[in-house]
Amino acid sequence: MSKIFSFGGTDTFFPGGSIYPNPKESSLFFSLGHHVDVYFPHQKRSRISAPIVLSGERFERKRPSIEILPDECLFEIFRRLPGGQERSSCACVSKRWLTLVSNICKDEINYNKDGVVSEVEDQDVEGEGYLSRSLEGKKATDVRLAALAVGTASRGGLGKLFIRGSNSTHGVTSVGLRAISRGCPSLRVLSLWNLSSVGDEGMCEIANGCHRLEKIDLCHCPAIMDKSLLALAKGCPSLKDLTIEGCANIGNEGLQAVARSCPNLKSISIKNCPLVGDQGIASMLSSASCTLTKVKLQALNITDVSLAVIGHYGKAVTDLSLTNLPNVSEKGFWVMGNGHGLQKLKSFTVTSCRGITDLGLDAVAKGCPNLKQLCLHKCAFLSDNGLLSFAKIASSLETLQLEECHRITQFGLFGYLLNCGAKLKVLSLVNCLGIKDLNLGLPLVSPCQSLRSLSIRNCPGFGDSSLVALGKLCPQLQHLELSGLHGVTDAGFLPLVESCESGLVKVNLSGCVNLSDKVVCILADLHGGTLEMLNLDGCKITDASLVAIAENCQLLNDLDVSKCAITDFGIAALARSNQINLQILSMSGCSKVTNKILPSLIKLGETLLGFNLQHCKAISSIAVDLLVEQLWRCDILF
């Protein structure tokens, strides 16, 4: 602030003028009040005296007011206050005082004749950034930011600031960010979402005052350009995490500056920025000081060149996500895999990239020997042959997720299980329409002993034959999810349940409308000693299933029987059980459960933390009110 006032020393005053280069700028802080008097001092300071007012036949002298002091005088008073609490109190007096206090920089506070900060101020201001604040919608204004800057300075310091949206009439601007930059030098995390009024001026203020910033998140801020990233790169060398999404005016120049000046950068996520191309991405990866471990690129105009650079220079990358890159071809993935630079890559996610073909996936498997997790979404050109080839090479893979890969069939699925390494633990198939229920007649081979979790969701062709084959191949399953599989019946599910040797812990059968009480009774009998979560939403079960659960499942804590044909009798059986301790119970849409079961629900509620009663039409609002009153520690949906 001393630069603004052109002070010659701590005791020298500026001869006059406003503390703002543009006098109209300060009015942004007063925009919320329509009757607030905004004081703009004259360029030449006038002599301060008490005005004399004529009243009747005698003169009446008015009491002097501190408000007639110009801004620079008040500023000198505020910066000499002994502590942050005193300045916070002054900021509550008026918006004018808040404006002045929020513009005091840390190095301008409370200097004595020797230029040393007092002990009181040292305790107040030297915050380590323990506090976190979030402003959303109408609450996001410059005045709020100024109040945050002043109020948090003496309470540990502001460490994280999240701004989501902005007030439509008095939104966040560079004035509010200037207050943050001067009052919150301890800021480490800054997240700005949907702020059309924040531009380069405000981000430059942040860069000049918040040198400890480690994480910056800029989403849908169209006024922010490369100039902001240039300033942040220069002023925030400790930056570790950078996220840019939907910023149409940020391009290669800004990313190149960050690559040059931020040697500690560990993670980048860039999405939907049309000006970002190969030059910007290449500079981030090929920098001499590059230590990037996480890279996420989505909806960018990059080509095979960027993937070639990643494959050659990404020696520290452990997590890589590529989504919707229309200009990247099969050649890009092939070159990336053959670059042999991704030796440390552990997690690889590809979504809607036409370049992922059988050849591209084979190259990735060869170039990433330590890959543990692979997620492929909407890869239309990947077939069974590519999956089989990958299975034979990627011996370290632990998790495989396939979603909307419609060229994958039963041959690819079972072929992968027969050829995968001994470390595969999780397999997930979602919306794969190429799966058809065929009796393949699998040869007698050793099963996949390592697989612990199997999830098959919304694959309409998956049926009993496939499920029986999986039971033979996967005897050590503990987590089983079969959702939305209308073709699965008791005949296919029972062999799978009987073949699980380790004991099922979590079972989700939601949407399997052809499963009956027989399945649940056998499941409770064989795996009741290990079962902790059971979802039967939409299954054709009755009270017989609840009786079996009450008698056998002593570890069960999460039960969902929504849209099932259960009655009061089944709920009463659960309540009578002395060994069951449910924490979450969902019975949404159970129309046969009535008010008569209220005592049993209250007894069950002794251990419940979550209870879903939505769309239970036979339970009255009076009964629900009584439950809410009795089960005060339980979160009830009704």
Side-chain angles (χ1 to χ4, degrees):
M1 189 62 73
S2 59
K3 294 181 180 180
I4 297 177
F5 293 143
S6 301
F7 288 159
T10 57
D11 296 323
T12 304
F13 286 89
F14 183 64
S18 171
I19 66 171
Y20 300 97
N22 180 5
K24 294 183 179 181
E25 192 179 49
S26 64
S27 65
L28 294 175
F29 271 121
F30 307 104
S31 57
L32 289 182
H34 299 290
H35 306 289
V36 179
D37 294 327
V38 183
Y39 179 80
F40 297 108
H42 300 290
Q43 291 298 317
K44 182 176 180 180
R45 285 174 51 221
S46 59
R47 181 178 179 182
I48 301 172
S49 59
I52 300 175
V53 180
L54 183 63
S55 178
E57 296 182 354
R58 63 189 182 90
F59 291 98
E60 182 178 323
R61 185 178 296 274
K62 269 194 172 183
R63 182 175 298 177
S65 172
I66 194 173
E67 286 298 327
I68 66 175
L69 292 177
D71 287 350
E72 58 268 28
C73 291
L74 289 175
F75 177 84
E76 287 296 321
I77 294 172
F78 294 150
R79 83 181 187 94
R80 284 171 167 77
L81 292 175
Q85 295 287 355
E86 287 78 2
R87 282 190 298 279
S88 296
S89 299
C90 290
C92 296
V93 171
S94 67
K95 292 179 182 178
R96 179 192 177 199
W97 286 29
L98 173 61
T99 304
L100 294 170
V101 174
S102 66
N103 276 276
I104 302 175
C105 294
K106 176 184 174 183
D107 57 359
E108 296 171 334
I109 295 174
N110 202 29
Y111 283 97
N112 58 26
K113 294 181 179 179
D114 298 325
V116 180
V117 181
S118 69
E119 294 181 1
V120 175
E121 188 57 39
D122 184 66
Q123 295 174 359
D124 285 342
V125 176
E126 291 294 333
E128 294 300 326
Y130 298 114
L131 301 180
S132 177
R133 295 291 183 268
S134 178
L135 299 180
E136 299 185 10
K138 295 180 179 180
K139 296 181 179 180
T141 63
D142 286 338
V143 174
R144 290 265 185 172
L145 289 179
L148 277 179
V150 175
T152 58
S154 60
R155 293 173 175 84
L158 186 63
K160 299 179 181 180
L161 176 60
F162 305 89
I163 305 177
R164 301 287 190 269
S166 185
N167 190 293
S168 58
T169 55
H170 306 289
V172 173
T173 67
S174 59
V175 178
L177 294 183
R178 181 188 300 122
I180 293 295
S181 71
R182 297 182 180 182
C184 306
S186 60
L187 192 66
R188 297 193 306 273
V189 177
L190 177 63
S191 180
L192 307 178
W193 283 46
N194 298 320
L195 298 178
S196 58
S197 56
V198 171
D200 291 337
E201 184 180 356
M203 295 309 300
C204 289
E205 291 285 353
I206 292 292
N208 291 334
C210 303
H211 302 299
R212 299 187 189 179
L213 268 178
E214 297 179 357
K215 181 177 181 180
I216 299 176
D217 187 355
L218 305 175
C219 294
H220 302 289
C221 300
I224 294 180
M225 304 182 184
D226 284 331
K227 182 179 178 181
S228 295
L229 288 190
L230 292 171
L232 290 170
K234 181 179 179 181
C236 308
S238 300
L239 191 64
K240 296 180 180 179
D241 191 320
L242 176 63
T243 298
I244 305 173
E245 178 180 340
C247 296
N249 291 308
I250 290 181
N252 296 326
E253 184 181 359
L255 295 182
Q256 290 169 342
V258 172
R260 289 192 303 267
S261 303
C262 301
N264 298 316
L265 193 65
K266 301 293 183 184
S267 173
I268 60 167
S269 177
I270 306 174
K271 176 181 177 181
N272 194 23
C273 296
L275 297 183
V276 173
D278 291 328
Q279 291 182 347
I281 300 302
S283 65
M284 299 292 288
L285 271 298
S286 61
S287 173
S289 60
C290 178
T291 58
L292 281 173
T293 58
K294 295 183 179 181
V295 178
K296 183 177 181 180
L297 307 177
Q298 181 173 351
L300 302 178
N301 294 321
I302 61 175
T303 66
D304 297 337
V305 174
S306 292
L307 265 65
V309 173
I310 293 174
H312 185 75
Y313 291 101
K315 300 184 184 303
V317 176
T318 59
D319 295 80
L320 177 61
S321 177
L322 305 175
T323 301
N324 191 19
L325 303 177
N327 298 324
V328 174
S329 67
E330 178 185 69
K331 181 180 178 180
F333 285 94
W334 185 87
V335 174
M336 183 179 72
N338 285 279
H340 301 293
L342 296 174
Q343 299 293 310
K344 294 184 179 180
L345 187 66
K346 294 181 179 180
S347 177
F348 187 34
T349 300
V350 183
T351 303
S352 300
C353 290
R354 62 184 182 88
I356 274 289
T357 61
D358 295 345
L359 179 63
L361 187 61
D362 182 77
V364 169
K366 294 177 181 178
C368 308
N370 295 306
L371 190 64
K372 296 184 180 301
Q373 179 176 332
L374 177 64
C375 304
L376 302 176
H377 303 166
K378 299 181 180 179
C379 296
F381 297 101
L382 179 66
S383 70
D384 293 337
N385 293 331
L387 196 60
L388 288 173
S389 176
F390 180 83
K392 296 176 182 179
I393 301 172
S395 58
S396 298
L397 197 72
E398 297 179 358
T399 300
L400 175 63
Q401 297 180 11
L402 302 174
E403 182 175 351
E404 294 189 40
C405 297
H406 301 312
R407 295 185 66 183
I408 301 297
T409 69
Q410 256 89 338
F411 294 99
L413 171 62
F414 292 112
Y416 187 90
L417 290 173
L418 291 172
N419 293 277
C420 67
K423 296 183 179 180
L424 185 68
K425 297 179 180 179
V426 179
L427 177 61
S428 174
L429 271 74
V430 182
N431 292 328
C432 292
L433 303 183
I435 301 291
K436 305 297 181 183
D437 196 39
L438 303 175
N439 192 349
L440 300 179
L442 296 176
L444 294 176
V445 294
S446 58
C448 183
Q449 298 286 350
S450 60
L451 194 66
R452 296 292 185 270
S453 177
L454 175 64
S455 176
I456 302 175
R457 291 183 285 141
N458 300 323
C459 297
F462 199 91
D464 289 340
S465 298
S466 302
L467 210 54
V468 172
L470 281 177
K472 296 177 181 179
L473 286 176
C474 312
Q476 301 299 325
L477 286 177
Q478 295 179 348
H479 299 169
L480 179 62
E481 180 179 11
L482 304 174
S483 299
L485 304 182
H486 297 174
V488 171
T489 66
D490 295 353
F493 186 75
L494 287 177
L496 176 64
V497 171
E498 293 169 351
S499 65
C500 293
E501 301 172 358
S502 298
L504 291 170
V505 177
K506 295 182 179 180
V507 177
N508 184 352
L509 304 175
S510 61
C512 294
V513 295
N514 292 315
L515 294 182
S516 67
D517 288 324
K518 182 178 179 181
V519 164
V520 179
C521 292
I522 295 178
L523 177 65
D525 182 50
L526 295 178
H527 302 280
T530 58
L531 197 61
E532 297 179 4
M533 189 278 285
L534 179 59
N535 188 338
L536 302 171
D537 185 357
C539 297
K540 294 191 303 182
I541 67 164
T542 64
D543 295 334
S545 294
L546 294 186
V547 172
I549 291 171
E551 293 176 351
N552 298 283
C553 301
Q554 61 267 25
L555 297 181
L556 190 67
N557 57 59
D558 187 341
L559 176 62
D560 191 339
V561 289
S562 300
K563 297 188 288 293
C564 294
I566 61 172
T567 67
D568 296 344
F569 180 80
I571 299 298
L574 286 177
R576 287 194 302 268
S577 175
N578 295 323
Q579 59 183 1
I580 196 168
N581 292 294
L582 286 176
Q583 294 183 357
I584 299 176
L585 175 61
S586 179
M587 38 187 281
S588 173
C590 295
S591 57
K592 295 183 180 180
V593 178
T594 68
N595 290 338
K596 297 178 181 179
I597 204 60
L598 195 60
S600 297
L601 294 179
I602 293 176
K603 187 177 185 304
L604 283 172
E606 294 175 358
T607 59
L608 285 180
L609 300 177
F611 192 13
N612 188 352
L613 282 171
Q614 292 179 314
H615 311 298
C616 293
K617 298 179 180 179
I619 298 180
S620 66
S621 58
I622 298 176
V624 171
D625 292 339
L626 182 59
L627 284 174
V628 171
E629 180 181 351
Q630 293 288 329
L631 308 181
W632 55 270
R633 65 191 295 269
C634 179
D635 186 11
I636 300 178
L637 295 178
F638 55 90

